[in-house]
């Protein structure tokens, strides 16, 4: 005889199933591009002082080593080349560039639902870097990173809700030829995700074939120029205050090809930038303002992200400290400078100096990711997966970072205060003749998905439940999720006919 089914139990099961079902993008409590800006480590007076110091640095010190083409562009815009070869920037030249600069940038994905609008204090998190090693969490060791590792990272990112863009996080060390490495980097990322991608080029001559590849993926040059889904991460300066000659030539060709650029100034506080937080921000700001003049001299209004990326340094050892509180302050202060100029900007967050995904990695990544988001940084680069001060990348940390960034984004969303959220009617109903608690009330059930972020892997079991469930391990669960993702075909893979055309035109190292 079949026992009767409890309507109440069935209702609970249905509600539980409903809660566990994936939320639509519109229903999620956190969204790409939420506005931060509540945290302001710099006062308005301090911002003005940094701005004035940056202008004085550009007027009196200037930058060395501009390529011949850059000298022509910059002097044509009013900059002055001195007898010492340095290019100096009168205040009016910088102000003119700021007027011409693109103030609102849309970074496109191959899938339009991944488009990112960069302006104001809208916050986005993603990967970046040039790690040369992969972290083997089971073996607790490092090995050279490969093109397959990069492709797998892109595939994983494509499935993570809180990773909004995929700037190349590692170098394909199994490809010795730099041209082939640059082209395979684009192929590996684009065939792994439909989110926006960032990449670099080793030499100016590699930009043209890369654009040819991107035109093929986009469906033609016109389609590419209408929606460029790859941007150039460009280290156009070698701090302190020198242009990187070849990178500048790369930048010019990317601009001509319709590719957005990230103007990346990556000084090391205490080594290639002043040791003080304020001084490092001044130099990075000055260098990026020079880059802004350069971009707008080549093509006024071309989309360029103001990429002040000063890094921290452990002055005892000379080692980089990407996971330090100083790093978090550097990035938050830079975010305020971007907002002062009204420019889309990016800086680092989420870097950890830890070698493995452990407690140190967690506290370091959370500190800078939360502070960058609260400061309203448009693009938080290197937000997940980066270990050993950018030398190592970890797929499992990427997956764990998705949970971590979810919590950071909930902090960015902040506290909504209105008649509904203050809940005075609910308090009265519960306390005056009600059950004396809020568990199971209509309001609680209604808000539990819209107001709360739940970890995918973070464990909230009681010790008893944990023991009864065979003590699940966080890292093992991350490995299992990685393996599930990589066992399925990439949703971003190319049409077979297009893939065959690409492979005929270029030496693609990933197996078909």
């Amino acid at each position: 005889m079949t026992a009767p089914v409890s309507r109440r139990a069935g209702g609970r099961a249905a509600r539980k199933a409903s809660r566990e079902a994936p939320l639509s993008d519109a229903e999620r409590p956190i969204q790409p591009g939420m506005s931060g800006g509540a945290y302001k480590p710099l006062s308005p007076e301090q911002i003005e002082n940094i701005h004035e110091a940056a202008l004085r640095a550009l007027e009196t010190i200037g930058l060395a080593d501009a390529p011949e083409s850059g000298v022509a562009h910059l002097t044509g815009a009013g900059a002055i080349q001195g007898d010492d070869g340095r290019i100096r920037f009168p205040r009016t030249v910088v102000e003119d560039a700021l007027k011409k600069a693109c103030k609102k940038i849309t970074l496109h994905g191959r899938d339009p639902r991944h488009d990112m609008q960069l302006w104001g204090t809208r916050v986005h998190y993603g990967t970046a870097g040039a790690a040369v090693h992969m972290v083997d969490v089971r073996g607790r060791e490092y090995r050279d990173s490969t093109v397959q590792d990069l492709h797998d990272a892109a595939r994983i990112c494509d499935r993570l809700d809180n990773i909004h863009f995929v700037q190349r996080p590692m170098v394909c060390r199994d490809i010795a030829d730099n041209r082939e490495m640059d082209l395979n980097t684009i192929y590996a990322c684009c065939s792994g995700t439909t989110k926006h991608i960032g990449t670099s080029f080793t030499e100016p001559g590699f930009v043209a074939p890369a654009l040819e590849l991107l035109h093929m993926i986009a469906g033609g040059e016109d389609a590419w120029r209408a929606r460029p889904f790859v941007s150039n991460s460009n280290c156009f300066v070698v701090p302190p205050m020198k242009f990187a000659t070849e990178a500048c030539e790369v930048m010019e060709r990317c601009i001509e090809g319709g590719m957005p650029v990230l103007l990346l100034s990556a000084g090391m506080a205490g080594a290639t930038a002043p040791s003080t937080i304020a001084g490092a921000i001044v130099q990075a700001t000055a260098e990026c303002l020079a880059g802004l003049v350069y971009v707008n001299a080549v093509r006024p209004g071309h989309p360029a992200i103001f990429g002040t990326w000063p890094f921290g340094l452990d002055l005892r050892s000379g080692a980089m400290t990407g996971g330090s509180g100083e790093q978090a302050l550097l990035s938050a202060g830079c975010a305020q400078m971007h907002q002062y100029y009204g420019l889309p900007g990016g800086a680092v967050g989420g870097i950890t100096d830890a070698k493995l995904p452990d407690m140190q990695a967690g506290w370091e990544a959370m500190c800078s990711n939360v502070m960058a988001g609260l400061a309203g940084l448009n693009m938080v680069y290197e937000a997940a997966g980066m270990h050993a001060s950018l030398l190592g990348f970890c797929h499992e940390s990427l997956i764990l970072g998705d949970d971590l960034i979810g919590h950071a984004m909930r902090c960015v969303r902040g506290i909504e205060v209105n008649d509904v959220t203050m809940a005075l009617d609910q308090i009265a109903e519960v306390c005056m003749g009600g059950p004396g608690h809020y568990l199971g009330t209509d309001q609680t059930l209604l808000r539990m998905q819209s107001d709360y972020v739940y970890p995918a892997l973070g464990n909230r079991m009681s010790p008893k439940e944990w023991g009864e469930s065979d003590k699940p391990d966080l890292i093992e669960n991350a490995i299992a999720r990685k393996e599930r993702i990589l066992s399925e075909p990439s949703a971003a893979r190319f049409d077979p006919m297009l893939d065959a055309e690409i492979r005929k035109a270029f030496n693609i190292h990933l197996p078909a």
Side-chain angles (χ1 to χ4, degrees), residues 140-466:
R140 296 174 61 84
E141 60 187 12
Y142 281 46
R143 60 168 175 79
D144 287 353
S145 50
T146 69
V147 68
Q148 185 66 55
D149 294 324
L150 178 61
H151 179 59
D152 290 346
R155 292 174 61 191
I156 293 167
C157 287
D158 199 58
R159 297 280 295 276
L160 301 179
D161 289 335
N162 301 323
I163 303 296
H164 306 139
F165 61 92
V166 183
Q167 185 160 306
R168 176 217 61 188
M170 72 191 81
V171 177
C172 305
R173 296 190 71 187
D174 56 336
I175 302 178
D177 182 270
N178 285 336
R179 181 182 184 275
E180 290 193 8
M181 181 183 70
D182 286 355
L183 295 172
N184 275 270
T185 294
I186 291 173
Y187 179 94
C189 290
C190 287
S191 60
T193 183
T194 57
K195 296 178 181 181
H196 184 82
I197 290 163
T199 195
S200 299
F201 298 105
T202 314
E203 295 181 18
F206 301 163
V207 176
L211 288 169
E212 180 186 342
L213 171 59
L214 290 169
H215 296 167
M216 294 175 71
I217 295 170
E221 182 175 357
D222 289 346
W224 156 257
R225 287 184 176 274
R227 292 183 53 83
F229 47 84
V230 174
S231 54
N232 173 223
S233 173
N234 192 286
C235 295
F236 71 103
V237 288
V238 180
M241 304 291 281
K242 293 190 296 183
F243 285 110
T245 306
E246 280 199 335
C248 289
E249 294 172 349
V250 166
M251 181 175 69
E252 291 177 24
R253 298 189 189 190
C254 288
I255 293 171
E256 292 163 3
M259 185 180 292
V261 295
L262 164 65
L263 294 167
L264 203 166
S265 162
M268 192 80 70
T272 56
S275 62
T276 59
I277 293 173
I281 294 174
V282 166
Q283 181 179 298
T285 300
E287 289 168 344
C288 284
L289 285 172
L292 196 75
V293 174
Y294 199 146
V295 169
N296 285 279
V298 175
R299 181 164 296 169
H302 185 81
I305 299 167
F306 204 75
T308 47
W309 286 32
F311 291 112
L313 193 73
D314 188 320
L315 296 175
R316 302 169 303 177
S317 64
M320 177 183 165
T321 57
S324 64
E326 293 83 12
Q327 182 64 67
L329 284 167
L330 282 164
S331 293
C334 286
Q336 286 187 269
M337 297 310 299
H338 309 161
Q339 292 152 27
Y340 173 78
Y341 295 120
L343 295 172
V348 300
I351 302 169
T352 175
D353 304 316
K355 310 308 175 285
L356 294 168
D358 54 18
M359 187 172 178
Q360 178 186 341
W363 83 57
E364 290 178 341
M366 180 60 91
C367 178
S368 56
N369 272 330
V370 168
M371 284 177 61
L374 291 179
L377 184 62
N378 293 144
M379 299 285 280
V380 186
Y381 294 96
E382 296 165 341
M386 300 305 297
H387 283 273
S389 308
L390 301 182
L391 291 175
F393 188 80
C394 177
H395 287 146
E396 290 78 11
S397 285
L398 179 60
I399 289 169
L400 294 172
D402 189 58
D403 262 5
L404 185 152
I405 292 168
H407 292 304
M409 291 175 66
R410 185 60 186 89
C411 295
V412 171
R413 175 179 160 182
I415 303 170
E416 295 87 16
V417 179
N418 53 49
D419 288 343
V420 173
T421 61
M422 288 190 293
L424 190 58
D425 290 346
Q426 188 183 167
I427 296 169
E429 181 182 336
V430 165
C431 297
M432 298 167 65
H437 62 77
Y438 299 89
L439 295 170
T441 65
D442 290 343
Q443 294 91 336
T444 297
L445 294 172
L446 180 67
R447 311 282 305 191
M448 68 178 294
Q449 295 284 31
S450 63
D451 285 17
Y452 289 81
V453 174
Y454 302 97
L457 292 179
N459 192 310
R460 292 177 172 177
M461 294 176 179
S462 70
K464 183 175 183 295
E465 291 174 303
W466 178 69

Side-chain angles (χ1 to χ4, degrees), residues 76-87:
I80 300 166
Q81 186 174 33
D83 294 339
D84 57 1
R86 301 184 74 89
I87 302 287

